[in-house]
Amino acid sequence: MSGAGGGGEGGGTGCGSPASWRAGWSLVATAALCLVSSASVLATGAAPMSKEEKQRLGNQVLEMFDHAYGNYMEHAYPADELMPLTCRGRVRGQEPSRGDVDDALGKFSLTLIDTLDTLVVLNKTKEFEEAVRKVVRDVNLDNDIVVSVFETNIRVLGGLLGGHSVAIMLKEKGEHMQWYNDELLQMAKQLGYKLLPAFNTTSGLPYPRINLKFGMRKPEARTGTETDTCTACAGTLILEFAALSRFTGTSIFEESARKALDFLWEKRQRSSNLVGVTINIHTGDWVRKDSGVGAGIDSYYEYLLKAYVLLGDDSFLERFNTHYDAIMRYISQPPLLLDVHIHKPMLNARTWMDSLLAFFPGLQVLKGDIRPAIETHEMLYQVIKKHNFLPEAFTTDFRVHWAQHPLRPEFAESTYFLYKATGDPYYLEVGKTLIENLNKYARVPCGFAAMKDVRTGSHEDRMDSFFLAEMFKYLYLLFADKEDIIFDIEDYIFTTEAHLLPLWLSTTNQTVSKKNTTTEYTELDDSNFDWTCPNTQILFPNDPMYAQSIREPLKNVVDKSCPRGVVRVEESFGSGPKPPLRARDFMASNPEHLEILKKMGVSLIHLKDGRVQLVQHAIQAASSLDAEDGLRFMQEMIELSSQQQKEQQLPPRAVQIVSHPFFGRVVLTAGPAQFGMDLSKHKSGTRGFVASSKPYNGCSEITNPEVVMGKIALMQRGQCMFAEKARNIQKAGAIGGIVIDDNEGSSSDTAPLFQMAGDGKNTDDITIPMLFLFNKEGNIILDAIKEYEEVEVLLSDKAKDRATIFKGKMLPNYIFDSNLEVDNMEQKSSENDSENQKSEKTTADSQDLSVVNQESVEESSPISQPESVSPADVDSASILSSKEDSCPTENHETTIHDSECTELDNQPQEQSKTEEESSPNVSWDNKVQPMESILADWNEDIEAFEMMEKDEL
């Protein structure tokens, strides 16, 4: 993602200076850009970089660009992308499908179009002129191919408009492009008309995909059946579409993009002012209700602020400020940015962050909120220094979650804007590190290869177009002086793909009236809206160590063994006043937290039944302010408790080995899937023999369908989405699937269960059941295959009694449990379950938390009258399970890998019931045993069954 253009070092004028109001600029555009152009003279304590060193690094960026661009043109053009390991072009349909990633490819020389304006920024005007001639001559936009509307808009339409913008600038200068007659603009208009049919929905939200040749016409288009799209996909169109309208005078493009934005605004969650990740394009219902600033939403926020800058419509600024206030209230936990539920914004939706949020500090610079931008950027930089690159996703304790890194430019973007805003040479050193890492770890003979795993340094045969479009642009601008650029970069705004759109469009062909539609939906408080240029004296106090003082507490946070053992990073270093303890951060095992509670007049009581209870005594608080903090903490805890109780989670599922010599005695706890057959609605479950798929990761077409057909396919976790694995094995004829964790040693005994989520698209086409096994449980099946070759399993919502499994088969009575009659199996199981629950101790029982406000309940009431506080009881499996262990083990590192997976609450009662129904004499806690031990226990059964088989034969 990208921000508005910044000025050269020290080259900006003051906010109030008349020189800053250039001809053709709108007032709002200048106000939004003034921060970037005026604050760069500030120094913040870091040692300055010499002019020679800056020039050397700038030249190194140029050399790196030449290496990447030259190899694309030599080995890949006219293909969409370069495959740098095999030195050839990636042509869609000729390489194995990568799923949604390939939706960006349309056989329209994507990388060349995406790189056009980068050539001019890097002062390669001759190469630019040649590239434009190639695009005009060779590129075909009428291919029968289905592409992503979002990717085609930001990369191709944006690339053509960016190329047109700099082409007319060069032509006006009189040295280059004198032959140019708006050819790129005409191609952009042609493409715009090809994308317009996607907006033919009742909501105005576009379909996520469209056929370049046939649009949405069925059946030729092979698309148009989708029901869902991501918020960023529908909300990242206004800059390119409005620019196209204003360049051409054709209003339909801007009107369509505005309608989509209006609908998203109207559908925001009104109490939190947040938007979800995925929305139904026909009904407007939120399909995925988690909210953050990363993948799926990121550029929606970016385009609201930049639409205000480019188009001069204050309603966009009002919307952005409303959202921004919600982001800082709920999502921002400096230096972290964690997803929350839009209806339950105090509840985190996941425990990891994705790399796309790295754009956000740059957007905060444009907003004028520097401190949190510095904090988050520094945290990201520490992650990079640990892993050389920013992993696609990493946990809150800074462990790798998704290990890939496709050479994303968002961190370089934020580094550039922070340098332009602060003038701090520290960010030049950050840029130097990025350059060194790219050359050391990603450079290959035919370009730069994406990292397949930042932990091992392995490569992927991939060099996305955004690497050339954005990475080199931002790195070069970071080290370039104003005289190094042949035009004034401050006359342009960057799109999310870093394409240049001239700011004079704000006063050209204003085909859409600037009606303030925002206030039709809500009453807004103007007090927090920035209508004028930020005061740099407030942003940057006269303290040369300002930025450094913000960064310093974060220097070693990634290397700390227990970084989440404190409420916020600042506190562990004692820098500045400690913020109030928030309910979502509270850990009953943290002594510091207990001390804070005591100061707030909140006491913690351990009840006889093992629960923990909080009681507030305002009179015992250290001060009136502490008492207020205590009251707020109790209110948050009550709200958090209520939210957790309402949280609906799928229960764990069961994988039961029913073949010889196990006969249903081995029951493995499995994580469910949010897609495919709902095993709770199919009581008989799915039974079949297991077979390993080839490839074992299940991420491409199955090459051994004759082996998998009619069986339950085993796959290894990783490298693609769960839903993609399911589709591949279903296509091969499998009747079910089991995904086995690739994290060595992981087990449901130690790691929290989670449910496998879909891929953000409609998964109704997946009809087979899918379950997930941790590594330890999965190895039991794999070891059984090695020992016995054929292994039959039963996938079900809960373990079945063996009398049901083997009904109608001649088995000796002692194969079943001797104390149970077949006819009354369920009744006995229920009775035993009830008895066991009385004595069974579980994590949730011992950690149940209840909250009492002393203002409404007498001091003795929490213990003597528990019914009076029952609404505040908290299931700690939801609140504390991820926080009781402040130093997560390696088993937690890749708890969620293939998709956006939702952690499941421990469900001891369900487990207890399942345990009793499946085998009252077998402890659920011992569900995972060494194979030798299991077989030794059952020698008698095995011998009896083998004898019976001989008799039958």
Side-chain angles (χ1 to χ4, degrees):
M1 308 306 145
S2 308
E9 183 182 9
T13 58
C15 290
S17 169
S20 67
W21 308 101
R22 292 183 178 84
W25 281 29
S26 69
L27 299 184
V28 291
T30 305
L33 291 175
C34 193
L35 160 68
V36 183
S37 65
S38 65
S40 59
V41 296
L42 185 77
T44 51
M49 181 178 285
S50 67
K51 186 176 181 65
E52 292 73 22
E53 177 71 355
K54 281 183 63 179
Q55 187 173 11
R56 183 189 71 81
L57 290 169
N59 289 336
Q60 191 170 7
V61 173
L62 293 175
E63 186 278 329
M64 294 165 67
F65 173 84
D66 288 341
H67 178 67
Y69 180 74
N71 275 286
Y72 165 74
M73 295 305 295
E74 179 180 354
H75 298 292
Y77 181 81
D80 283 317
E81 290 179 348
L82 168 68
M83 299 174 67
L85 298 182
T86 51
C87 299
R88 68 178 192 270
R90 181 180 296 278
V91 179
R92 192 166 171 184
Q94 295 183 12
E95 305 293 337
S97 173
R98 301 176 298 171
D100 291 350
V101 175
D102 284 341
D103 286 346
L105 311 181
K107 297 183 179 179
F108 37 34
S109 302
L110 174 63
T111 298
L112 182 61
I113 292 178
D114 219 359
T115 309
L116 287 177
D117 53 9
T118 303
L119 290 165
V120 178
V121 172
L122 273 55
N123 200 11
K124 297 181 178 293
T125 51
K126 181 179 178 181
E127 291 87 342
F128 170 74
E129 194 155 359
E130 294 173 354
V132 173
R133 291 185 185 277
K134 282 185 169 65
V135 169
V136 173
R137 181 189 67 214
D138 300 339
V139 171
N140 178 21
L141 298 174
D142 199 39
N143 300 309
D144 179 11
I145 193 166
V146 177
V147 296
S148 162
V149 172
F150 166 75
E151 296 289 358
T152 305
N153 172 67
I154 65 171
R155 300 203 205 188
V156 185
L157 183 59
L160 293 171
L161 292 173
H164 171 70
S165 299
V166 293
I168 58 177
M169 176 272 297
L170 291 174
K171 183 177 182 179
E172 185 178 341
K173 286 180 176 291
E175 298 178 15
H176 302 279
M177 303 298 293
Q178 296 305 302
W179 58 271
Y180 182 69
N181 193 28
D182 294 349
E183 286 85 353
L184 294 178
L185 180 59
Q186 296 307 314
M187 292 180 68
K189 188 174 182 180
Q190 177 191 359
L191 181 59
Y193 277 121
K194 287 183 172 295
L195 296 179
L196 274 182
F199 293 83
N200 189 22
T201 61
T202 55
S203 66
L205 298 178
Y207 281 96
R209 295 172 187 81
I210 196 167
N211 187 297
L212 287 175
K213 186 178 185 68
F214 298 108
M216 307 303 296
R217 194 174 71 218
K218 301 172 184 177
E220 297 93 338
R222 305 186 306 283
T223 188
T225 59
E226 301 94 343
T227 59
D228 306 330
T229 192
C230 72
T231 300
C233 299
T236 311
L237 299 157
I238 187 64
L239 292 188
E240 292 83 1
F241 271 50
L244 182 58
S245 284
R246 300 198 177 198
F247 270 129
T248 62
T250 306
S251 64
I252 184 65
F253 305 111
E254 183 172 346
E255 290 170 355
S256 299
R258 279 178 177 262
K259 184 178 179 182
L261 275 181
D262 290 345
F263 190 81
L264 287 173
W265 170 253
E266 184 179 1
K267 290 299 179 180
R268 76 194 184 285
Q269 211 290 320
R270 299 304 176 91
S271 61
S272 67
N273 282 319
L274 294 172
V275 292
V277 173
T278 309
I279 191 171
N280 186 297
I281 60 178
H282 303 296
T283 66
D285 295 331
W286 291 109
V287 179
R288 277 190 47 199
K289 300 175 183 179
D290 45 319
S291 182
V293 297
I297 302 180
D298 48 3
S299 49
Y300 163 68
Y301 293 133
E302 178 185 6
Y303 269 37
L304 283 179
L305 182 55
K306 292 181 179 179
Y308 161 68
V309 175
L310 183 66
L311 307 179
D313 187 336
D314 58 10
S315 68
F316 291 125
L317 181 62
E318 291 185 16
R319 296 180 191 184
F320 173 79
N321 277 326
T322 301
H323 285 313
Y324 187 79
D325 179 68
I327 291 169
M328 300 309 290
R329 183 188 305 270
Y330 302 118
I331 295 171
S332 177
Q333 302 177 44
L336 309 180
L337 292 162
L338 292 178
D339 283 21
V340 299
H341 295 278
I342 60 174
H343 296 94
K344 304 177 287 287
M346 301 302 294
L347 184 64
N348 289 338
R350 62 188 189 188
T351 58
W352 49 275
M353 295 169 280
D354 64 75
S355 62
L356 285 173
L357 63 77
F359 91 101
F360 198 66
L363 188 63
Q364 290 179 307
V365 169
L366 186 60
K367 159 73 176 173
D369 199 2
I370 297 296
R371 183 183 183 91
I374 293 174
E375 289 177 324
T376 299
H377 179 275
E378 183 61 26
M379 177 269 293
L380 295 170
Y381 184 42
Q382 297 302 317
V383 175
I384 288 174
K385 288 203 290 188
K386 184 179 181 69
H387 300 294
N388 299 318
F389 297 97
L390 196 61
E392 276 289 76
F394 53 94
T395 62
T396 53
D397 57 349
F398 310 113
R399 300 171 188 265
V400 172
H401 186 58
W402 294 347
Q404 303 94 328
H405 172 73
L407 307 181
R408 293 200 186 277
E410 285 77 17
F411 181 78
E413 169 191 350
S414 288
T415 302
Y416 164 63
F417 287 113
L418 271 169
Y419 175 65
K420 292 306 176 183
T422 66
D424 188 349
Y426 175 83
Y427 295 109
L428 297 178
E429 296 297 332
V430 173
K432 181 179 179 180
T433 300
L434 298 181
I435 290 173
E436 290 173 348
N437 287 350
L438 283 171
N439 277 321
K440 187 174 181 179
Y441 302 108
R443 186 166 182 148
V444 294
C446 280
F448 290 83
M451 307 304 296
K452 186 175 184 179
D453 192 318
V454 298
R455 297 165 297 189
T456 64
S458 57
H459 289 128
E460 189 174 354
D461 201 5
R462 170 181 180 183
M463 190 178 83
D464 289 83
S465 68
F466 53 68
F467 182 61
L468 285 166
E470 299 185 67
M471 180 69 82
F472 295 114
K473 190 176 292 176
Y474 287 126
L475 287 178
Y476 182 75
L477 289 172
L478 177 63
F479 295 104
D481 291 325
K482 195 165 186 177
E483 58 269 20
D484 295 328
I485 307 172
I486 62 175
F487 62 98
D488 193 340
I489 199 74
E490 291 185 21
D491 288 342
Y492 298 83
I493 190 170
F494 285 142
T495 68
T496 195
E497 191 78 3
H499 293 306
L500 302 174
L501 297 178
L503 289 167
W504 53 257
L505 289 175
S506 61
T507 57
T508 301
N509 288 332
Q510 298 184 35
T511 55
V512 179
S513 62
K514 291 192 250 180
K515 180 182 178 182
N516 189 331
T517 57
T518 300
T519 52
E520 294 180 5
Y521 304 117
T522 183
E523 292 183 5
L524 297 173
D525 178 11
D526 280 2
S527 62
N528 71 327
F529 291 174
D530 300 326
W531 297 105
T532 59
C533 183
N535 187 328
T536 57
Q537 294 304 311
I538 296 176
L539 288 173
F540 309 104
N542 292 321
D543 178 5
M545 303 295 289
Y546 174 73
Q548 184 176 342
S549 68
I550 298 174
R551 289 192 302 265
E552 195 61 36
L554 302 166
K555 287 294 185 184
N556 301 312
V557 63
V558 173
D559 293 325
K560 287 176 65 67
S561 58
C562 300
R564 293 294 288 164
V566 293
V567 181
R568 288 172 65 169
V569 177
E570 292 179 8
E571 297 187 31
S572 62
F573 295 89
S575 62
K578 294 183 179 180
L581 176 63
R582 303 189 68 173
R584 63 186 177 192
D585 296 318
F586 172 67
M587 291 186 292
S589 62
N590 189 318
E592 184 178 354
H593 289 188
L594 299 180
E595 189 63 30
I596 295 174
L597 290 188
K598 183 178 179 181
K599 188 178 180 183
M600 294 190 301
V602 178
S603 57
L604 185 145
I605 301 173
H606 294 274
L607 302 181
K608 293 181 179 180
D609 61 4
R611 292 181 302 146
V612 176
Q613 195 170 69
L614 297 176
V615 182
Q616 184 191 22
H617 307 265
I619 195 172
Q620 296 181 9
S623 67
S624 59
L625 290 178
D626 289 314
E628 290 180 12
D629 285 341
L631 178 61
R632 175 199 50 77
F633 175 83
M634 298 295 284
Q635 291 171 339
E636 284 185 6
M637 188 61 80
I638 292 172
E639 180 184 351
L640 190 61
S641 169
S642 175
Q643 291 168 353
Q644 289 286 1
Q645 288 178 343
K646 295 176 182 176
E647 187 71 8
Q648 295 297 319
Q649 297 284 9
L650 295 176
R653 305 304 188 198
V655 175
Q656 201 164 0
I657 307 180
V658 298
S659 56
H660 163 74
F662 305 97
F663 310 133
R665 286 185 181 268
V666 173
V667 181
L668 308 175
T669 303
Q674 295 177 349
F675 53 86
M677 179 192 292
D678 185 352
L679 290 170
S680 66
K681 299 179 180 178
H682 295 75
K683 297 301 181 182
S684 59
T686 296
R687 181 171 174 171
F689 288 92
V690 296
S692 296
S693 66
K694 291 184 181 180
Y696 190 34
N697 60 29
C699 290
S700 58
E701 185 174 351
I702 304 302
T703 58
N704 60 336
E706 70 284 355
V707 174
V708 170
M709 182 174 293
K711 296 181 180 179
I712 295 172
L714 301 179
M715 295 162 287
Q716 187 179 43
R717 178 188 195 175
Q719 301 184 28
C720 66
M721 307 292 278
F722 289 117
E724 185 177 346
K725 297 175 188 287
R727 290 188 176 97
N728 287 332
I729 62 170
Q730 179 175 285
K731 184 178 179 181
I735 60 173
I738 298 176
V739 178
I740 299 176
D741 193 9
D742 59 349
N743 185 23
E744 188 68 26
S746 66
S747 169
S748 62
D749 288 339
T750 55
L753 291 173
F754 61 85
Q755 51 192 0
M756 297 185 289
D759 52 7
K761 299 185 294 186
N762 190 326
T763 54
D764 291 346
D765 59 312
I766 302 175
T767 58
I768 61 174
M770 290 288 292
L771 295 181
F772 177 91
L773 289 178
F774 282 104
N775 184 264
K776 192 174 179 180
E777 286 87 339
N779 281 338
I780 291 179
I781 294 181
L782 297 177
D783 290 343
I785 294 175
K786 292 178 183 177
E787 184 95 17
Y788 302 102
E789 295 185 2
E790 290 194 338
V791 175
E792 189 179 19
V793 301
L794 173 66
L795 312 184
S796 57
D797 63 329
K798 56 186 177 183
K800 307 300 181 184
D801 62 82
R802 288 183 291 284
T804 301
I805 295 175
F806 299 106
K807 185 176 182 180
K809 295 189 177 182
M810 295 179 59
L811 295 178
N813 288 335
Y814 46 80
I815 293 298
F816 308 124
D817 296 298
S818 58
N819 63 325
L820 292 178
E821 295 289 334
V822 173
D823 292 340
N824 63 357
M825 177 77 73
E826 292 184 2
Q827 178 181 354
K828 289 286 187 182
S829 174
S830 178
E831 293 172 359
N832 288 340
D833 181 65
S834 177
E835 287 296 317
N836 281 0
Q837 285 185 13
K838 294 179 181 179
S839 59
E840 188 178 34
K841 290 185 178 181
T842 66
T843 302
D845 289 333
S846 64
Q847 296 178 351
D848 271 356
L849 186 67
S850 59
V851 186
V852 182
N853 189 332
Q854 190 63 21
E855 292 179 4
S856 59
V857 182
E858 294 182 10
E859 185 169 344
S860 61
S861 65
I863 299 178
S864 62
Q865 300 176 10
E867 67 276 9
S868 65
V869 298
S870 59
D873 287 350
V874 178
D875 180 1
S876 64
S878 301
I879 293 181
L880 299 180
S881 63
S882 64
K883 300 178 181 178
E884 282 297 301
D885 181 5
S886 60
C887 305
T889 64
E890 282 299 316
N891 287 339
H892 290 74
E893 177 179 330
T894 53
T895 300
I896 307 167
H897 184 82
D898 300 73
S899 178
E900 295 179 4
C901 309
T902 308
E903 290 187 333
L904 286 177
D905 296 343
N906 294 328
Q907 302 202 17
Q909 293 183 359
E910 283 293 323
Q911 287 187 359
S912 176
K913 185 175 181 180
T914 303
E915 168 189 331
E916 293 299 324
E917 291 185 358
S918 63
S919 175
N921 294 337
V922 180
S923 171
W924 184 270
D925 293 334
N926 296 327
K927 59 185 177 296
V928 181
Q929 302 179 32
M931 187 66 63
E932 298 80 5
S933 174
I934 295 174
L935 296 180
D937 291 343
W938 299 340
N939 274 338
E940 184 178 353
D941 290 347
I942 295 171
E943 292 170 2
F945 188 71
E946 289 176 342
M947 185 176 297
M948 184 198 70
E949 286 182 321
K950 292 179 181 178
D951 292 343
E952 286 182 345
L953 292 174

